[in-house]
Structure formats: C-alpha cells, structure tokens
Amino acid sequence: SRRRHTRYISVTGVQTCALPIYVSISSKYEELMMLRAKVQENQLLQAKIAHLQSEINFIINHNENIKYTNVEKKVYAKIVAKSGAPMSRLVRINKGSKSGIRVKDPVISDFGAVGQILSVSENFADILLISDASSSIDAKIIGSNARGLVTGITSNQQYLMQIRDIDALFSIKPNDLVVSSGMNSFFPEGVPIGKVKEVVSSKDGLFHSAKIVPFVSIDNVEHVSVLLEDPYSKTNPRLSSYGWPLAEK
C-alpha cells in the first residue's frame, strides 16, 4: 500500500513538473508565430511602400517634365473652405481675379490634377474637383496610350472617376497610370490624374470601362497651384471650339 502510494506521488510529481514545461513551450511557440506574422506583415508593408514610392517618383518626374503650353505662371493658393457632400465637394481658395485667376483655369497639387476653377471673385475662387460628376478631362492611359474622357463618379465612400467606351483593342489593367492628354482640355499634357482601380468589359466585348482612383486626396491637401494662361495667345484653348467646358458656371 505504501509503495503504491509512493508511486502515485512520484507520478503526480512528474506530471506537476511537466505542466510548466508544456506551458513554457506553448508560450514560446505562440511568440514565434507572432514574430513570423509580424515579419510577413513587415514584408508586405515594405512592398507597399516600394510601390507607393515608385508612384511618387513617377508623379514627381512627370511634373518636372510637364510642358506648360501657353502658361505664363502659376498662382499658389491655400484652401480655406470646403463645402458640399464629402465626395462631391467645392473647394475654396484664398486667391481670385486680383491674382489673375479666371474661370476654367486648371488646378494642380504636388501629386497631380485637383480640378478646375468654377467661379471667381476678387479674392477667392471655387474649385470643381476632378472627381465631381460634372467634371471631365481628356486623358490617356500610360502604356496602352488609350484615350478617353475622365469623368467623376458620384460616390459616398471614396473619390472615384471613370473612362468609358475604351476600344477593347487597348490592353488596360489595374494600377495603370492615367495622365492628362493635353488635347481638348485646359490641362497641359502629362498632369497625373490617377490610377486604374478596375476594368470592366462590355457584354459584346468591344469596349472597356475603367474606374480610376485620383492621386490627389483633397482631404489631405492644403495648398494648390492654379495654372494661368496667356489670354492673348493665338493658340489659347479658351478660344477653341474644341475645348471641353469642364466647369461651366
């Protein structure tokens, strides 16, 4: 009886000692899994950073190489007010006609197209955003050189635009970059507009439609540049019947 009792105590003691060891191993294993997950997350973030950096470099290079045809100068302005629905806003800046700003002047930021002047007073001007449903810019898609009108999409969730009726002969894919074409528009050629988010083909397969996310998030923009044109230039697009009335008052 004493021998059995002693054995029981001994076995129980082994089991009792083994429990902390098991808990320790389990804890280390969980810690290892967490570290692996963090490493993988870090790798994904690094890849995303590299992708965003390449886009930023593209935008910077494009802005440096833009040929501002008929543009005498740029007026730098500060955003002082925003009104309207969250995704379809009018933005007011602290410069107006006294600074040479006129209706339909294109507006850009360091990252690309913002919109176009809709109305002007002496000291203020309102901007119609490129993501507004009444906005349109003649644009081209880098790589395929497909052209079309970028128009805003009314959305309550995010700033979106689209190009419709693109010939299916053009190969378009998500993340393709979209810039202004410089044709039939007040925007100079090469101003970054956004990147393709989604491509949808028509039922007959003859055309594509591309949804586009703008590079410029107006929620994060405080300063913009208004591009002024020479009103006496013979090639001024304001005097051309081919100009798109992007921002009629």
Side-chain angles (χ1 to χ4, degrees):
S1 174
R2 177 179 293 181
R3 183 176 300 172
R4 290 180 181 177
H5 182 70
T6 302
R7 286 178 180 177
Y8 177 78
I9 294 295
S10 177
V11 171
T12 304
V14 170
Q15 291 175 340
T16 304
C17 292
L19 183 59
I21 295 174
Y22 172 79
V23 172
S24 178
I25 293 173
S26 176
S27 176
K28 294 296 182 183
Y29 179 78
E30 290 179 359
E31 185 178 348
L32 177 62
M33 292 297 101
M34 288 178 63
L35 287 174
R36 285 184 176 179
K38 288 181 179 180
V39 169
Q40 292 176 349
E41 183 180 359
N42 185 58
Q43 290 174 342
L44 291 173
L45 288 174
Q46 291 294 334
K48 188 173 182 179
I49 289 172
H51 177 71
L52 291 174
Q53 187 61 53
S54 66
E55 288 189 353
I56 290 172
N57 292 337
F58 168 83
I59 294 169
I60 292 173
N61 292 333
H62 251 72
N63 280 335
E64 289 178 349
N65 295 326
I66 288 174
K67 296 178 180 179
Y68 293 110
T69 307
N70 301 329
V71 175
E72 284 190 329
K73 62 178 181 177
K74 294 186 288 185
V75 173
Y76 296 96
K78 182 179 180 180
I79 293 175
V80 294
K82 300 173 184 178
S83 63
M87 300 302 164
S88 181
R89 286 177 170 169
L90 284 176
V91 176
R92 176 162 292 182
I93 56 176
N94 65 344
K95 297 289 178 67
S97 59
K98 281 186 176 181
S99 300
I101 295 175
R102 298 178 297 165
V103 172
K104 299 182 182 180
D105 280 340
V107 184
I108 65 172
S109 76
D110 291 339
F111 291 98
V114 173
Q116 198 162 358
I117 298 297
L118 179 66
S119 61
V120 184
S121 63
E122 286 189 353
N123 298 307
F124 297 97
D126 291 335
I127 303 170
L128 181 70
L129 299 181
I130 58 173
S131 56
D132 190 277
S134 59
S135 168
S136 63
I137 302 174
D138 195 286
K140 64 181 178 180
I141 301 174
I142 299 297
S144 65
N145 282 326
R147 276 189 55 203
L149 280 180
V150 173
T151 58
I153 298 177
T154 302
S155 171
N156 293 324
Q157 298 179 341
Q158 61 180 326
Y159 296 103
L160 278 177
M161 302 171 293
Q162 65 180 348
I163 299 180
R164 301 179 63 182
D165 300 331
I166 304 169
D167 196 311
L169 294 175
F170 292 101
S171 178
I172 303 168
K173 59 186 182 300
N175 294 321
D176 279 352
L177 304 178
V178 182
V179 301
S180 59
S181 69
M183 302 180 68
N184 304 334
S185 172
F186 298 120
F187 278 89
E189 181 182 0
V191 178
I193 294 175
K195 64 178 180 179
V196 175
K197 177 183 180 182
E198 180 184 0
V199 180
V200 178
S201 298
S202 60
K203 292 182 179 180
D204 55 16
L206 297 177
F207 299 97
H208 296 312
S209 292
K211 287 187 178 180
I212 301 164
V213 179
F215 281 128
V216 178
S217 175
I218 198 62
D219 296 328
N220 301 321
V221 175
E222 295 182 357
H223 297 86
V224 296
S225 299
V226 182
L227 305 183
L228 305 185
E229 296 172 326
D230 179 4
Y232 302 105
S233 172
K234 294 180 180 180
T235 57
N236 192 330
R238 294 179 189 279
L239 306 179
S240 170
S241 59
Y242 297 101
W244 292 100
L246 188 145
E248 295 286 0
K249 185 177 178 181

